[in-house]
Amino acid sequence: MKVVKKVNEMSKISSSLITKGFVLGLVPTMGYLHEGHLSLVRLAKSQCQKLAMSIFVNPTQFGPREDFEKYPSDFEGDYSKAIKEGVDYIFLPTDKEMYGTDYRTFVEVSKLSSIMCGRSRPGHFKGVCTVVLKLFNIIKPRRAYFGQKDYQQVVIIKKMVEDLNLSLDIVSCPTVREKDGLALSSRNKYLSTEERKSAAELYRHLNLASGMIGKGERDLGKIEKIITGNLKKVKHIKKVDYFDLRDPVSLKELKHAGGSGQKILAAAAVWIGGTRLIDNIIIKI
Ligand code: AMP
């Protein structure tokens, strides 16, 4: 496994792999790898002949009061996990390597970027799309792998790929969870033992919404209100940024559930102490 820190070198390596006919996959990450990241790597390994993983804590997707400065990192741990999974290249650029000193160009997928997480994190998806497009241009993968854990992110990236006629496939991968349902996340490291117990309530409440729909409730506004109210009462949950029931493809808000076969995205973001956690499930009627 080779660690590549320079954009030019990474670009040359991937061009040469493509010329040789290899199907190149990319798993973009911010590092501090866990089983969620590794599940993406495993799927990518099964579908691609060569695999690059990027590790880059992207400054442009963090707001001024967010956790950019304290985002967890453990390159040694990441290196040994990646090598074990058969990653071929780790692309590990610095901020300066990616953005230079006079960076000015940004990509934004309008509308989709200002709902849900975009409401409380203005500019977040603009930063995500910009860095992801840069990674696509540098590495030129045939397939790129993203987790459904960040559901809105996958929808937005797919839209960017469609709108900008990028020629690669976006593969979305199921959320990997702890035994009690908590979605794995690098940010779980911030949780105290007590907060960690409450964190599992997020997934439980998504399933409560599913249960209500299963029992025949069709008024989704009512479900949103009840679940939001219940989440607010959970110990250590300081704030519910949103609990939304939406169309999983368009991300449009749904007011009423339809008939059997319909799929509904239940997605939420909550603050547990000083940590913002997100999660989602797809409810099938
Ligand atoms: P991050 O390092 O948090 O930016 O995540 C890198 C990629 O891993 C993103 O596509 C995430 O959606 C994905 N990912 C993070 N956590 C999980 C998880 N628990 N299960 C599946 N994929 C995940």
Side-chain angles (χ1 to χ4, degrees):
M1 184 174 73
K2 191 172 165 56
V3 179
V4 183
K5 295 187 174 178
K6 295 287 173 197
V7 167
N8 277 346
E9 191 190 355
M10 188 68 244
S11 184
K12 269 190 203 150
I13 289 172
S14 49
S15 296
S16 145
L17 292 171
I18 292 160
T19 308
K20 286 179 191 149
F22 288 113
V23 172
L24 179 58
L26 169 66
V27 176
T29 81
M30 299 204 296
Y32 205 70
L33 301 180
H34 51 63
E35 278 296 314
H37 298 114
L38 301 183
S39 72
L40 270 53
V41 169
R42 285 173 201 137
L43 183 63
K45 279 294 288 182
S46 74
Q47 297 182 342
C48 306
Q49 292 155 317
K50 293 285 176 187
L51 182 59
M53 167 189 272
S54 57
I55 298 183
F56 180 59
V57 183
N58 173 36
T60 65
Q61 71 188 66
F62 287 80
R65 282 174 297 280
E66 294 184 354
D67 57 344
F68 175 66
E69 296 295 342
K70 65 164 187 167
Y71 196 82
S73 79
D74 170 22
F75 183 67
E76 269 182 37
D78 291 352
Y79 184 92
S80 61
K81 285 170 191 155
I83 203 167
K84 220 167 128 193
E85 296 297 336
V87 170
D88 297 294
Y89 301 92
I90 292 185
F91 180 49
L92 183 76
T94 59
D95 297 359
K96 183 139 183 272
E97 184 65 15
M98 283 299 270
Y99 291 111
T101 51
D102 187 29
Y103 193 83
R104 287 171 193 279
T105 309
F106 292 88
V107 189
E108 189 160 26
V109 176
S110 64
K111 281 193 176 164
L112 292 175
S113 294
S114 53
I115 58 172
M116 302 165 74
C117 285
R119 251 185 329 218
S120 46
R121 303 188 73 188
H124 169 67
F125 289 112
K126 185 166 123 182
V128 169
C129 285
T130 301
V131 80
V132 167
L133 182 58
K134 282 169 74 67
L135 290 169
F136 288 172
N137 284 333
I138 296 163
I139 299 174
K140 305 170 280 288
R142 178 91 65 85
R143 301 194 180 99
Y145 296 79
F146 294 87
Q148 280 162 22
K149 153 88 176 12
D150 299 278
Y151 192 94
Q152 185 178 9
Q153 173 172 280
V154 183
V155 172
I156 288 174
I157 287 167
K158 281 185 176 165
K159 188 74 184 117
M160 174 179 79
V161 166
E162 182 193 337
D163 286 357
L164 296 182
N165 311 101
L166 305 180
S167 49
L168 80 163
D169 293 331
I170 301 302
V171 183
S172 74
C173 313
T175 303
V176 178
R177 302 179 177 282
E178 304 274 11
K179 277 206 185 83
D180 65 358
L182 175 65
L184 299 192
S185 163
S186 307
R187 289 191 169 100
N188 292 350
K189 174 188 160 54
Y190 301 147
L191 301 169
S192 69
T193 316
E194 281 300 304
E195 289 170 347
R196 168 63 189 82
K197 283 181 202 156
S198 298
E201 288 296 314
L202 179 54
Y203 181 60
R204 203 176 71 80
H205 279 73
L206 294 170
N207 284 298
L208 282 178
S210 173
M212 290 166 84
I213 294 169
K215 279 188 190 136
E217 182 57 74
R218 291 291 172 265
D219 182 346
L220 300 182
K222 186 174 160 190
I223 297 176
E224 281 180 359
K225 232 178 165 176
I226 293 171
I227 299 291
T228 305
N230 287 353
L231 274 170
K232 280 180 181 163
K233 286 184 212 145
V234 172
K235 205 174 166 193
H236 302 298
I237 292 194
K238 290 250 169 69
K239 192 180 169 206
V240 178
D241 263 354
Y242 66 85
F243 173 84
D244 286 1
L245 295 165
R246 291 179 178 263
D247 179 88
V249 178
S250 67
L251 298 186
K252 285 200 175 116
E253 263 182 304
L254 296 173
K255 284 291 156 219
H256 298 279
S260 103
Q262 190 193 11
K263 287 182 182 170
I264 298 171
L265 168 71
V270 300
W271 284 87
I272 303 206
T275 307
R276 187 175 181 277
L277 297 182
I278 58 171
D279 201 354
N280 68 82
I281 58 169
I282 300 290
I283 299 166
K284 293 179 197 89
I285 300 188

